[in-house]
Amino acid sequence: MRFWIAVIPLVLFVALAGAFLVNLGKDTSVVPSALIDKPVPDFSLPPLPGRDKGLARSDLANGQVSVLNIFASWCVPCRAEHPLIQRLAKESGVAVYGLNYKEKDPQDGVIWLNELGDPYTAVGMDISGRTGIDFGVYGVPETFIIDGNGRIRYKHVGPVSPDILQNVLLPKIQELQG
Amino acid sequence: MIAELGHFALILLLALGCAQAVLFCPVRMAFFRPIKLASEHGEILAQLSPEKGNAGFEADKGQTARLLWPLPVMICLLAFMAQGALIYSFIISDFSLPLVADYSHSSTPLFYRISAAITPENCAILLWISLTALASVFFWVQSHLSQRIQNTDTTLAVLGLIMALLAASAIIDGNPFLRDPAPPLDGMGFDPLRQDVLTLIHAPLLYAGLAALSVIFATTFAALPRAQLDRVWARQMGPWAVSAWLFLGAAILTGTYRSYIEQGWGQWWYWDVVENAVLLPWILATALLHCLTALEKTEALKPWTALLALSAFGAGWFGMFLVRSDWLGPLPAALIATGEHATLLIGFCIVMGGAYFLFSRTAGQLREAADFSFLSRESGLFINSVLFAVAAAIILTGTVYPLIVRWIGDSIVTVGPPFFVQALLPVVVPILLVMGLAPSLRWRQDRAFSLAGRLKLPLIMSAVITLFVWMRHINASPLPLLGIGLAAWIVTASIADLWERLRRNRDQSGTKYRNIARLGPHYTGMTLAHIGMGLLVAGASASTLWQEEIVLSARSGQSIEIGPYNLQYEGVALLPGENYATRKATFILYQNAQPLGQLSPEVRYYPVRGVETIEADVWHSRDGDLHVTVGERAEDGGRIVNIRFFPMMSWVWAGMIIILIGGIMSVFMRALLFFKKNEGPTQ
């Protein structure tokens, strides 16, 4: 009897620790998007100041694979990944759209792109962060891969690294293009 | 160069930690017999174990510690070297270290660069190791000073293992000293939410608490195999348990006050992972303290005390793992993924798995020296510590529940304050009830009739107070009323018991001073802590019951009335800060047309991270706290102003401080007793 009581803590511990150990290595930063394989949320965003084309859902569901990159001028990792987004646009050949997230001043995004170069086919301004919420954004930068039917097929949270570009994003785009 | 030195110190620390774990372990004789014969140290080892024939499990009298004491001291020096190297790299803004680039910036003031080297979870593991190493040196000193410390060698071996595992985690999970081949020109800046003195104080307190818990864990682990969980064990754990409890409590206080100021709506507890990670070990340490009292007095509750001693450290480690790993979602402000910290989890599994396994093997054989009846101090302490453990289990469940659901059902849930309040209520109410009752109970056995006689007065007084409050606030919701009633019960019962004891002591003659001194460290600490807890519950209940809130768009010169006060809004000024720009509002506070002072809440903008933080300003007084924040410009041209009056909020802060003073008093009186005893036989 006393032996069995003494074993209870061990059993509970093994259950809890086991659950964590088994799930070790599963990349949870990818899973949380409830939007995977779901259609892109409906939205329509105004263009950057001085440009005429904004961004809307129809741009992302036009029969072609596309990439949506969420960035902000105040976000340092975005600056770090920017050259890789440029490489992505050049090497993949698909349209890369930008969502300029929660800018203090609409002009900031324009200055930023003028300074670093503009790889985006079109950019929408999400000043309020409302569209960002629909996309489940919880840390800028984030990068979505969207298929021709306007379904989100992949989501990467955090800055894109050369490794991720080469081994994850580009293969995924090729796979979707068939 | 300095960073490489730190790196080297860290690796050496890992090696020496392993060495300590192996060399100090008394079981080594059985494992390493062939190696021993061949080794050069064979003679030394032979000297260490005169009874060689005994198959490896000779009594641990601390011989190895007497011989190899430089080992723990070396580890401690190395840990502080590594920590110092990291602080130095932050001070000189060496952005080739990714951690410095992630958490600092060339514009970060020097003070906060040091803070950035200590407080973010990824950097803090070095602080954790350093303080654990320091604690193990203190433990060695303790065992050197006092002849009655058991199992010194085994304890140091377990501590060596813990430090080695933590060092392994620091090296593998996110090595702070690995350089980036292409360093950025500047860093990402210190997290603005942490830019405060309180955060810098919080981290060392928290890790000092965990370090003390690791000594408790190691002592228990070492005592388990031969079931030496007796009075001597309880006495040697006493100072560690009180200081762990004290440090963790102080960490909770600083964290709480920080979020009270930092969050715009004046709440001070959020049930988020970071808070729960400190609360869990603190609750278990509280339960442990109570059980140790019973054990020291009557040798009761042995297995349960051992289980609490092991679990408190486990909860601390697990909490630190949860906070570090980004499994529960990265904090939006941090923007940096911190990684999985797999090594930290594996280390946790090794240490705690071993401990619970050992416990399951030996706990069944532990003999209770004393039996006690249902109505006795022991059972009061036992029931309360069980309730504490249940509360801890509820908090743990609430914290990891979102993860479990995600693993099983792939859906996302969040567990918020409503769950914790509802689930904890049925546990906390009995805890508070027993808290007033247990100190008056006699050891071993008590009689219900005489107990009722002793507690009659507090019972009547708390009922009267509750009724009085209810009459004045007939529409009040039942929960705060219940809180006030329970608080009154704890405070009156504690004072009644204190009075009774002082009276009894006087009957046995002695001056007033000696009366108080004769109460002893346990009783003094307990009474203060209980009264503090009563004040805290009363303050928390009253401030929710009577809180007033005004949100308005204020114009310069406007006068706002709230509670007993009158606030005059003067306007907002845009000012430069150290590494931020701030919109600082000015309010002049009047009471009965007398100016009391000035309040200046701020909204700070940190350009490096692009983050805005709210800094509330609070006026503390005996009546309550006036909590003022400012926000955006309103559409009508005024400024959004948020003013809250929390009556009796001062009781919450005073309560927390009194609880901590109770702990400090207890440590202080213990130290006095210890040195008095060592002076020689005075009595």
Side-chain angles (χ1 to χ4, degrees):
Chain A
M1 174 61 192
R2 295 195 69 171
F3 170 76
W4 289 112
I5 293 175
V7 169
I8 292 173
L10 182 65
V11 172
L12 288 177
F13 169 78
V14 168
L16 182 73
F20 273 81
L21 282 176
V22 164
N23 284 282
L24 206 62
K26 284 187 191 167
D27 193 357
T28 41
S29 65
V30 183
V31 186
S33 178
L35 290 168
I36 297 290
D37 292 331
K38 299 266 160 60
V40 171
D42 203 8
F43 70 98
S44 174
L45 289 172
L48 290 170
R51 298 194 182 184
D52 46 351
K53 186 153 171 29
L55 190 65
R57 184 178 188 279
S58 53
D59 296 314
L60 301 174
N62 58 0
Q64 298 292 320
V65 177
S66 58
V67 172
L68 177 69
N69 176 239
I70 301 190
F71 72 97
S73 69
W74 45 262
C75 139
V76 181
C78 300
R79 192 173 279 264
E81 75 160 6
H82 199 73
L84 292 162
I85 300 295
Q86 283 170 312
R87 251 182 71 193
L88 173 70
K90 209 180 290 166
E91 286 176 24
S92 68
V94 300
V96 177
Y97 295 96
L99 192 150
N100 191 0
Y101 186 65
K102 281 196 178 174
E103 241 15 290
K104 284 262 142 202
D105 180 344
Q107 211 63 43
D108 288 348
V110 181
I111 297 170
W112 199 74
L113 288 178
N114 286 345
E115 185 188 329
L116 297 177
D118 183 358
Y120 301 114
T121 310
V123 178
M125 294 261 317
D126 186 19
I127 292 275
S128 65
R130 177 66 232 159
T131 309
I133 292 175
D134 290 340
F135 271 93
V137 171
Y138 57 57
V140 208
E142 289 189 7
T143 306
F144 294 82
I145 298 176
I146 296 152
D147 69 11
N149 302 324
R151 276 173 197 282
I152 296 172
R153 300 300 292 270
Y154 188 78
K155 174 185 177 183
H156 177 76
V157 181
V160 172
S161 65
D163 179 49
I164 291 193
L165 176 69
Q166 217 43 259
N167 299 325
V168 181
L169 296 183
L170 288 176
K172 194 87 195 168
I173 291 171
Q174 262 166 16
E175 178 197 321
L176 286 176
Q177 283 174 327
Chain B
M1 182 57 206
I2 297 288
E4 275 68 33
L5 219 59
H7 198 171
F8 179 65
L10 188 58
I11 294 169
L12 202 57
L13 192 159
L14 169 62
L16 290 188
C18 293
Q20 182 171 323
V22 174
L23 288 176
F24 282 64
C25 182
V27 202
R28 72 178 187 278
M29 295 305 161
F31 290 145
F32 299 113
R33 191 167 292 268
I35 301 170
K36 190 196 83 178
L37 292 174
S39 77
E40 291 176 26
H41 301 291
E43 291 159 41
I44 303 173
L45 294 178
Q47 279 175 8
L48 293 178
S49 55
E51 329 109 47
K52 254 193 292 180
N54 189 350
F57 223 85
E58 68 270 27
D60 175 358
K61 296 202 182 72
Q63 300 98 326
T64 319
R66 229 162 287 147
L67 196 72
L68 290 180
W69 61 268
L71 196 52
V73 176
M74 270 291 282
I75 290 179
C76 185
L77 287 178
L78 287 172
F80 277 94
M81 258 174 71
Q83 175 70 73
L86 188 65
I87 293 177
Y88 176 81
S89 306
F90 269 90
I91 290 177
I92 62 162
S93 288
D94 185 350
F95 294 123
S96 64
L97 296 183
L99 267 189
V100 183
D102 281 352
Y103 292 109
S104 187
H105 185 263
S106 52
S107 71
T108 308
L110 178 66
F111 181 77
Y112 296 115
R113 280 187 213 165
I114 298 173
S115 188
I118 294 177
T119 55
E121 280 77 19
N122 273 13
C123 311
I125 191 150
L126 289 184
L127 184 65
W128 187 2
I129 299 172
S130 308
L131 291 174
T132 309
L134 192 63
S136 66
V137 171
F138 279 160
F139 172 77
W140 178 80
V141 172
Q142 186 198 17
S143 79
H144 194 72
L145 286 180
S146 160
Q147 300 305 313
R148 308 201 59 187
I149 301 292
Q150 294 173 337
N151 304 319
T152 310
D153 285 353
T154 324
T155 308
L156 284 170
V158 175
L159 283 169
L161 178 68
I162 290 171
M163 286 184 285
L165 287 170
L166 290 180
S169 163
I171 292 169
I172 299 168
D173 288 337
N175 193 330
F177 297 115
L178 276 189
R179 287 191 194 269
D180 185 351
L185 287 177
D186 213 329
M188 287 169 62
F190 188 34
D191 181 357
L193 288 173
R194 293 176 190 268
Q195 186 160 330
D196 189 86
V197 185
L198 278 180
T199 319
L200 181 57
I201 303 172
H202 175 86
L205 288 174
L206 165 59
Y207 292 103
L210 290 182
L213 282 183
S214 63
V215 174
I216 293 169
F217 172 85
T219 321
T220 313
F221 195 102
L224 268 178
R226 281 180 298 144
Q228 292 169 314
L229 303 166
D230 48 11
R231 240 174 231 157
V232 183
W233 171 72
R235 220 162 273 156
Q236 90 179 57
M237 291 240 295
W240 294 102
V242 178
S243 42
W245 177 83
L246 193 59
F247 282 128
L248 290 173
I252 291 175
L253 173 62
T254 49
T256 306
Y257 194 76
R258 178 72 188 138
S259 56
Y260 181 60
I261 295 297
E262 192 61 47
Q263 312 288 347
W265 46 101
Q267 227 173 312
W268 42 277
W269 195 261
Y270 292 86
W271 299 109
D272 73 6
V273 191
V274 180
E275 288 173 327
N276 292 348
V278 193
L279 186 63
L280 265 179
W282 183 79
I283 289 180
L284 291 174
T286 314
L288 173 67
L289 265 183
H290 286 88
C291 287
L292 278 179
T293 321
L295 210 158
E296 207 174 311
K297 201 87 180 176
T298 63
E299 300 227 322
L301 307 176
K302 280 179 184 176
W304 177 239
T305 313
L307 185 61
L308 286 173
L310 298 175
S311 306
F313 177 64
W317 190 322
F318 189 64
M320 289 305 113
F321 161 72
L322 280 184
V323 169
R324 277 174 173 72
S325 75
D326 44 11
W327 281 5
L328 285 169
L331 298 169
L335 288 180
I336 304 158
T338 50
E340 266 196 323
H341 288 268
T343 318
L344 197 59
L345 179 64
I346 292 168
F348 166 76
C349 293
I350 293 172
V351 169
M352 292 315 293
Y356 285 130
F357 179 68
L358 196 57
F359 179 80
S360 71
R361 295 286 301 266
T362 50
Q365 295 148 24
L366 286 170
R367 285 274 156 266
E368 295 278 71
D371 285 318
F372 52 87
S373 76
F374 176 71
L375 200 63
S376 65
R377 179 84 73 85
E378 286 95 325
S379 78
L381 289 166
F382 178 65
I383 290 169
N384 236 20
S385 65
V386 169
L387 290 170
F388 272 119
V390 172
I394 290 172
I395 295 170
L396 179 67
T397 313
T399 312
V400 297
Y401 185 71
L403 268 179
I404 309 278
V405 168
R406 196 196 290 169
W407 290 336
I408 296 171
D410 215 26
S411 62
I412 296 173
V413 291
T414 52
V415 177
F419 163 80
F420 287 105
V421 171
Q422 274 178 15
L424 284 176
L425 198 64
V427 187
V428 171
V429 171
I431 286 182
L432 297 177
L433 276 175
V434 180
M435 201 167 158
L437 187 78
S440 306
L441 282 168
R442 306 245 186 278
W443 293 104
R444 302 274 158 89
Q445 196 172 12
D446 203 341
R447 278 200 240 130
F449 189 71
S450 84
L451 179 70
R454 269 173 276 145
L455 288 174
K456 168 177 69 187
L457 199 61
L459 208 60
I460 294 169
M461 277 168 73
S462 49
V464 168
I465 291 173
T466 318
L467 261 178
F468 177 72
V469 174
W470 184 57
M471 301 265 274
R472 292 192 51 183
H473 300 268
I474 209 89
N475 294 326
S477 54
L479 208 56
L481 273 180
L482 180 68
I484 288 174
L486 286 168
W489 160 244
I490 295 168
V491 175
T492 50
S494 294
I495 292 176
D497 190 59
L498 179 67
W499 186 256
E500 162 79 16
R501 264 170 216 248
L502 285 176
R503 200 176 54 83
R504 217 185 313 146
N505 282 356
R506 191 158 51 217
D507 290 348
Q508 295 162 4
S509 85
T511 59
K512 256 192 178 163
Y513 165 73
R514 289 206 51 178
N515 273 341
I516 292 171
R518 273 170 67 172
L519 291 174
H522 289 306
Y523 187 77
T524 315
M526 177 201 74
T527 309
L528 279 171
H530 282 191
I531 291 176
M533 192 68 206
L535 294 183
L536 197 158
V537 172
S541 308
S543 66
T544 45
L545 188 58
W546 295 310
Q547 101 179 53
E548 286 177 51
E549 181 179 358
I550 296 177
V551 184
L552 79 168
S553 147
R555 290 167 184 283
S556 297
Q558 188 171 343
S559 177
I560 306 147
E561 221 169 288
I562 185 161
Y565 299 114
N566 213 323
L567 267 178
Q568 190 175 326
Y569 174 62
E570 295 285 302
V572 166
L574 193 65
L575 298 169
E578 286 168 303
N579 57 340
Y580 55 88
T582 176
R583 288 202 300 272
K584 197 173 198 166
T586 311
F587 294 85
I588 298 178
L589 181 66
Y590 294 94
Q591 189 171 22
N592 305 326
Q594 293 291 317
L596 287 179
Q598 189 179 320
L599 283 165
S600 30
E602 301 177 38
V603 179
R604 291 181 183 168
Y605 176 66
Y606 290 84
V608 175
R609 286 227 177 172
V611 174
E612 257 185 6
T613 66
I614 293 168
E615 309 285 325
D617 202 358
V618 180
W619 182 266
H620 298 284
S621 76
R622 215 187 33 194
D623 298 336
D625 281 7
L626 194 65
H627 185 278
V628 184
T629 54
V630 286
E632 300 293 316
R633 186 169 284 283
E635 278 171 12
D636 65 352
R639 174 73 56 183
I640 303 276
V641 173
N642 216 322
I643 306 168
R644 290 176 179 81
F645 181 62
F646 298 111
M648 284 170 70
M649 193 62 196
S650 40
W651 291 41
V652 173
W653 308 122
M656 286 194 190
I657 290 168
I658 291 175
I659 293 175
L660 295 182
I661 290 176
I664 294 169
M665 282 292 285
S666 158
V667 171
F668 185 67
M669 289 171 81
R670 266 167 214 260
L672 274 184
L673 281 179
F674 179 78
F675 286 115
K676 225 182 202 171
K677 238 179 253 165
N678 275 19
E679 264 170 19
T682 43
Q683 290 184 336

